[in-house]
C-alpha cells in the first residue's frame, strides 16, 4: 500500500507532467499505476503523471494484462463466462479506485476550482430556471413530473463511482429515467432526443451533481471504448445538455 505525501504535490497544466511522492507501506513488492512512471529512491517512489492520452493507453494496457491472466489462473479456468465478466469489472473498479484521485483531477487545484465555479453558477441558475422557461420549452404536459426527483437522485450519486464504466452507467440510468417518465405522459409516446434534452438540462441544473465537468473529462478519457450503442447515445445527450447549460450561465 502507498500513501501520498501531499506536501510533494505540485500543480499541472493539461498536457504537462507533474510529480508526486508516494511512501511505500507494508511488504508489497509490486504496484502498477496507469499512466505513471515510478522511480524508487530512498524509500520514496516518485510518481510522474503523464498526459491524458498516454495515461489512457497505459491504463488499457495494464487492464488488458490483468484480464489476460484470468483464463490461466487455476481459480478461474473452469469459471462460467458471466463470472469472468464480473471479475473483469471488479478488477477495473478496484484498479480505478486506487488511482482515482490522480486520474480524476489531472490538473489538481485547477480542476477543483473549475468544478466549484461551475457548481456555484448552477446553484444561482437553479433559483431562476423553471420548466416553463423559454430557453427550455418543456411541454406543459410534462410539468407534472417536475422537478423529476428520481432522475436527480440517479445523477447526484455519480461521484460515488470510481470507474468510468460505472459513472457512465449512472448517466445512462438518469437519462433512461427521464425517457421513461416522458413516454408515460399523456399523448407523448416514445421519447425522442428533442424531448429528453430540455428535461435533462433542467434535471442537471437542479441536481447540480458534484464535479460534473471533471466527470465528463474522466469518462471521455478513460471510457472512450464504452461510448457506443445505447451508452454512446445517452452520453451524447448528456454532454449536449451540459454544453447547453453553459450557454445559460
Amino acid at each position: 500500500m502507498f500513501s501520498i505525501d501531499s506536501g510533494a504535490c505540485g500543480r499541472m497544466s493539461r498536457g504537462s507532467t507533474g510529480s508526486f511522492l508516494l511512501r511505500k507501506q507494508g511488504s508489497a513488492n509490486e504496484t502498477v499505476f496507469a499512466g505513471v512512471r515510478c522511480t524508487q529512491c530512498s524509500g520514496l517512489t516518485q510518481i510522474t503523471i503523464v498526459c491524458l492520452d498516454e495515461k489512457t493507453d497505459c491504463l488499457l494496457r495494464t487492464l488488458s494484462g490483468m484480464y489476460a491472466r484470468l483464463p490461466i489462473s487455476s481459480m478461474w479456468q473452469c469459471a462460467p463466462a458471466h463470472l469472468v465478466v464480473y471479475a473483469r469489472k471488479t478488477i477495473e473498479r478496484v484498479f480505478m479506485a486506487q488511482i482515482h484521485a490522480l486520474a480524476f483531477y489531472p490538473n489538481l487545484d485547477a480542476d477543483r476550482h473549475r468544478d466549484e465555479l461551475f457548481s456555484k453558477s448552477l446553484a444561482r441558475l437553479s433559483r431562476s430556471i423553471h420548466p416553463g422557461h423559454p430557453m427550455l420549452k418543456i411541454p406543459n404536459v410534462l410539468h407534472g413530473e417536475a422537478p423529476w426527483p428520481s432522475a436527480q437522485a440517479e445523477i447526484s450519486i455519480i461521484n460515488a463511482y470510481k470507474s468510468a464504466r460505472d459513472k457512465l452507467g449512472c448517466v445512462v440510468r438518469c437519462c433512461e429515467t427521464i425517457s421513461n417518465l416522458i413516454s408515460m405522459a399523456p399523448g407523448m409516446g416514445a421519447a425522442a432526443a428533442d424531448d429528453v434534452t430540455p428535461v435533462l438540462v433542467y434535471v442537471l441544473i437542479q441536481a447540480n451533481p458534484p464535479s460534473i465537468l471533471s466527470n465528463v473529462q474522466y469518462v471521455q478519457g478513460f471510457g472512450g471504448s464504452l461510448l457506443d450503442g445505447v451508452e454512446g447515445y445517452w452520453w451524447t445527450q448528456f454532454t449536449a445538455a451540459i454544453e447547453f447549460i453553459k450557454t445559460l450561465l
Side-chain angles (χ1 to χ4, degrees), residues 202-218:
Y202 183 80
V203 165
L204 291 175
I205 292 172
Q206 296 300 325
N208 196 359
S211 305
I212 191 64
L213 298 181
S214 289
N215 275 293
V216 171
Q217 174 181 279
Y218 185 79

Side-chain angles (χ1 to χ4, degrees), residues 57-69:
D57 180 63
C58 288
L59 169 66
L60 295 178
R61 286 190 284 107
T62 301
L63 288 176
S64 296
M66 292 180 177
Y67 297 156
R69 294 185 180 185

Side-chain angles (χ1 to χ4, degrees), residues 20-211:
F20 298 81
L21 294 180
L22 275 71
R23 191 178 306 278
K24 191 171 183 180
Q25 299 174 338
S27 58
N29 295 320
E30 182 180 22
T31 302
V32 181
F33 292 86
V36 301
R37 288 191 289 270
C38 304
T39 305
Q40 188 74 29
C41 179
S42 301
L44 295 177
T45 302
Q46 181 170 325
I47 306 299
T48 303
I49 309 300
V50 294
C51 66
L52 191 60
D53 289 341
E54 188 175 345
K55 285 196 295 183
T56 302
D57 180 63
C58 288
L59 169 66
L60 295 178
R61 286 190 284 107
T62 301
L63 288 176
S64 296
M66 292 180 177
Y67 297 156
R69 294 185 180 185
L70 280 177
I72 62 177
S73 171
S74 58
M75 293 179 59
W76 293 95
Q77 285 179 349
C78 299
H82 72 278
L83 285 183
V84 174
V85 171
Y86 183 76
R88 289 164 63 100
K89 291 181 179 179
T90 302
I91 289 173
E92 179 185 357
R93 287 167 179 159
V94 172
F95 186 82
M96 294 307 298
Q98 295 297 316
I99 67 167
H100 183 264
L102 302 179
F104 193 70
Y105 294 117
N107 301 311
L108 303 178
D109 289 343
D111 285 338
R112 292 186 178 92
H113 184 60
R114 175 199 60 186
D115 287 334
E116 289 174 3
L117 288 178
F118 191 71
S119 180
K120 290 178 181 178
S121 298
L122 284 188
R124 288 193 297 269
L125 181 60
S126 68
R127 293 192 287 269
S128 60
I129 202 79
H130 53 86
H133 194 281
M135 292 295 290
L136 297 182
K137 298 180 180 178
I138 298 175
N140 290 334
V141 70
L142 300 179
H143 291 188
E145 291 290 342
W148 295 274
S150 55
Q152 288 192 45
E154 291 288 357
I155 198 61
S156 294
I157 60 173
I158 190 170
N159 270 13
Y161 302 102
K162 304 304 180 185
S163 73
R165 182 189 304 275
D166 290 334
K167 288 179 181 291
L168 178 59
C170 186
V171 170
V172 170
R173 289 193 299 274
C174 172
C175 294
E176 288 183 341
T177 298
I178 293 172
S179 178
N180 292 336
L181 290 172
I182 291 174
S183 65
M184 290 188 292
M188 289 299 297
D194 290 342
D195 300 320
V196 173
T197 300
V199 177
L200 180 57
V201 167
Y202 183 80
V203 165
L204 291 175
I205 292 172
Q206 296 300 325
N208 196 359
S211 305

